[in-house]
Amino acid sequence: MSVGRWLLLETLAGDLEPTLVAEDAQTKQWTAAARLHRSIGPAPARLVVDAVRRCAAGGDPERVVVGDKHVLAEPVRCAFGGVHGVQIWIGPVDAPVRPRRRVAAWDWDAVTELAHHGPGLEELVFARESAQVRVVRTPPDAFGRMVRFDGRVDYFDMATRLEPGGHWQGEVDMLGDDDCVRRFQMVTRARPEHCRVSALMHAIPELGDDAGTVDPDVAMLRAVAQRSGVGVGIILLSSGIIYEWAADPPPPLDRWAVERPTIDPTDFAALRAACADAARQPGTARRLALRVRFAQGDWIHADAELVTITTAATGHGLLRVWSAGIDGPGDA
């Protein structure tokens, strides 16, 4: 190897060996670290594996020089203080070290249905000003910024099942606060022992020539939803989780766009049952009454309508919501 390169190895599951997921801008599909000897040689491969293990365990950067090889290890920390990935620079000792790749981590808690963003993630993914950065976000805060997510069905299947060994990676395009679209490699693993999905976001602008292309189906859905006058949430039929608002709910339900409310247990059970029915028999709208309460607030009575998106195979539906007593879709 005549020049240096940056390697990204994921350490998302502590009980699994680290795997290579990127070499510079080139994404890799879960390549065992031990197989690096094929591309960089046996001795450098051992240096990399040892450096990754030490960095993941201790959480500190490190620098090693052995013979004519220079190895740097930089941890990618999550919101809980752990290390979700390690960036490795390996090259000749006399070669300049290029700026490292831009990588950050996040976790999604299946119990609270909240995402926890690691250091630097919001600045990286959303081009967010430091004063606006938050650690804890609802799913719509993130997925509502995805303008392209071709693998959403497979990702949500993995995230819903949360089975040992579950994993997904692919490319997503995210809309920043500056209205620019950026491309990322998203690498995720199921963590059933913690009831979480853990992930890395790796900026790959080199592969983003068409990053301004918005999924036309998603764009049309959002455009129609925003003219409806009611809240329109994209919901997982398998779990009842609203992961994106195609149109924000109107007052007094507007906090639902940024906060996960408490839904009355009886009403939530009815919603889950309606989701299950919709998955089995798509094409029929289901009307529901929901009582929801936001933090330190009173119960709000809402009406809702659930419909499936295209076919049951997608596993997704639309939940239209509005304040009870106000005309909703089809009432006028």
Side-chain angles (χ1 to χ4, degrees):
M1 183 172 54
S2 59
V3 296
R5 70 183 76 174
W6 280 104
L7 310 176
L8 176 61
L9 292 98
E10 60 82 18
T11 57
L12 296 168
D15 58 337
L16 299 176
E17 287 295 310
T19 64
L20 177 71
V21 291
E23 291 189 28
D24 289 328
Q26 184 178 4
T27 61
K28 300 289 184 180
Q29 291 292 324
W30 316 100
T31 303
R35 294 175 59 189
L36 281 169
H37 70 272
R38 298 180 181 180
S39 58
I40 64 177
R46 285 194 295 271
L47 287 178
V48 168
V49 172
D50 290 344
V52 168
R53 288 173 176 164
R54 289 193 300 270
C55 189
D60 297 317
E62 68 170 64
R63 175 177 180 269
V64 179
V65 175
V66 178
D68 63 348
K69 291 294 185 289
H70 182 194
V71 176
L72 297 177
E74 294 283 349
V76 182
R77 296 181 179 86
C78 71
F80 300 104
V83 175
H84 278 1
V86 179
Q87 293 193 73
I88 293 285
W89 169 266
I90 181 165
V93 292
D94 57 353
V97 177
R98 289 184 285 109
R100 68 176 180 266
R101 308 293 302 181
R102 302 188 67 199
V103 186
W106 56 264
D107 293 88
W108 178 72
D109 188 315
V111 176
T112 64
E113 298 177 11
L114 296 173
H116 298 259
H117 291 174
L121 182 129
E122 298 214 338
E123 295 91 334
L124 172 63
V125 175
F126 306 122
R128 186 150 292 160
E129 297 291 338
S130 57
Q132 304 300 318
V133 167
R134 285 165 43 194
V135 173
V136 180
R137 295 279 184 179
T138 64
D141 286 336
F143 290 107
R145 293 304 190 101
M146 286 184 168
V147 299
R148 190 172 185 177
F149 186 12
D150 295 337
R152 71 174 64 216
V153 172
D154 291 336
Y155 166 77
F156 282 115
D157 182 65
M158 180 275 296
T160 301
R161 293 177 184 273
L162 272 185
E163 295 175 340
H167 60 278
W168 180 91
Q169 73 158 294
E171 296 175 10
V172 298
D173 292 348
M174 305 294 296
L175 179 66
D177 291 353
D178 56 359
D179 291 327
C180 292
V181 177
R182 296 170 177 84
R183 177 153 296 172
F184 295 88
Q185 175 191 14
M186 188 165 87
V187 181
T188 66
R189 281 197 184 275
R191 305 284 304 282
E193 72 279 14
H194 298 299
C195 293
R196 290 181 199 158
V197 172
S198 295
L200 295 172
M201 297 292 278
H202 170 211
I204 46 175
E206 299 92 338
L207 306 184
D209 292 341
D210 60 343
T213 303
V214 177
D215 184 323
D217 291 337
V218 173
M220 183 177 296
L221 171 61
R222 290 170 176 163
V224 172
Q226 289 165 11
R227 292 196 297 267
S228 68
V230 301
V232 181
I234 304 177
I235 189 169
L236 288 175
L237 298 179
S238 60
S239 64
I241 295 173
I242 298 171
Y243 68 86
E244 179 182 342
W245 288 103
D248 290 348
L253 300 169
D254 48 320
R255 286 174 62 182
W256 206 339
V258 295
E259 180 181 333
R260 178 181 177 270
T262 298
I263 300 178
D264 177 87
T266 300
D267 296 346
F268 186 67
L271 174 60
R272 289 290 301 270
C275 286
D277 289 343
R280 288 192 297 267
Q281 299 177 331
T284 303
R286 291 152 177 85
R287 296 294 290 264
L288 298 158
L290 301 176
R291 288 162 289 180
V292 303
R293 183 170 63 187
F294 301 99
Q296 301 173 341
D298 296 326
W299 287 103
I300 300 172
H301 291 260
D303 289 327
E305 181 183 59
L306 176 69
V307 296
T308 52
I309 298 177
T310 62
T311 69
T314 68
H316 298 70
L318 294 180
L319 186 71
R320 301 184 178 108
V321 297
W322 61 96
S323 180
I326 298 176
D327 287 345
D331 292 336

